[in-house]
Amino acid sequence: MILVLYGTETGNAEMVAEDTGDAIDASYIVNLSDITPSDLDPGALHLFVCSTYGEGELPASAKEFAAALAQDQKLGGVPFAIFGLGDRSYETFAGGAKSLRALLLSCGAVEIAPIMLHDANGPELPEDAAIAWAQAALARAAAA
């Protein structure tokens, strides 16, 4: 089972998550505001798409999920990968995705592919970059 989970402030991460999930035939596409860390399944692959808000903060829909992670959740063996959205002109480029990644790792989740950070000022569309990233993450997971 493949889940694409997103944290968004303005809807950009949701659109990228939906395009990515459709391209890879994800089982579910879920807003982080609709789940808790205990809903994560060690038998499923979790692909997170996370935007950044303000000065490197998590987006609104990810804040409660992150707060629950910070409460010492145990995610031993939950496989995940993260695609981050941001603007490289900010010192805290993609800070939301980086924060979420750090929380997941601190709870014992297992990163199956390197984090990918998309620059809003770059030439590539975020959905194109996310689909290629997700396909590479799935290939890595299958080869492991």
Side-chain angles (χ1 to χ4, degrees):
M1 179 169 30
I2 302 167
L3 291 90
V4 176
L5 308 155
Y6 62 90
T8 192
E9 185 77 29
T10 63
N12 289 340
E14 179 179 5
M15 289 187 292
V16 171
E18 288 175 354
D19 287 347
T20 302
D22 290 345
I24 63 169
D25 293 325
S27 307
Y28 299 98
I29 302 167
V30 181
N31 190 331
L32 288 175
S33 66
D34 296 332
I35 66 167
T36 67
S38 63
D39 293 326
L40 302 182
D41 178 357
L45 179 59
H46 306 82
L47 302 178
F48 291 85
V49 177
C50 188
S51 64
T52 298
Y53 182 70
E55 295 297 323
E57 300 160 19
L58 285 164
S61 78
K63 287 185 177 179
E64 192 171 320
F65 181 85
L69 279 176
Q71 298 289 318
D72 197 28
Q73 287 282 323
K74 304 295 183 217
L75 298 177
V78 169
F80 78 98
I82 293 183
F83 182 88
L85 298 167
D87 183 333
R88 203 172 286 282
S89 66
Y90 286 85
E91 186 175 318
T92 55
F93 171 59
K98 292 174 184 174
S99 295
L100 183 59
R101 176 182 179 267
L103 281 167
L104 289 163
L105 290 171
S106 73
C107 293
V110 177
E111 190 170 38
I112 56 103
I115 187 171
M116 181 168 183
L117 304 177
H118 180 268
D119 180 8
N121 294 314
E124 189 172 25
L125 294 173
E127 58 269 27
D128 292 344
I131 291 168
W133 162 82
Q135 291 169 335
L138 294 177
R140 287 178 70 117

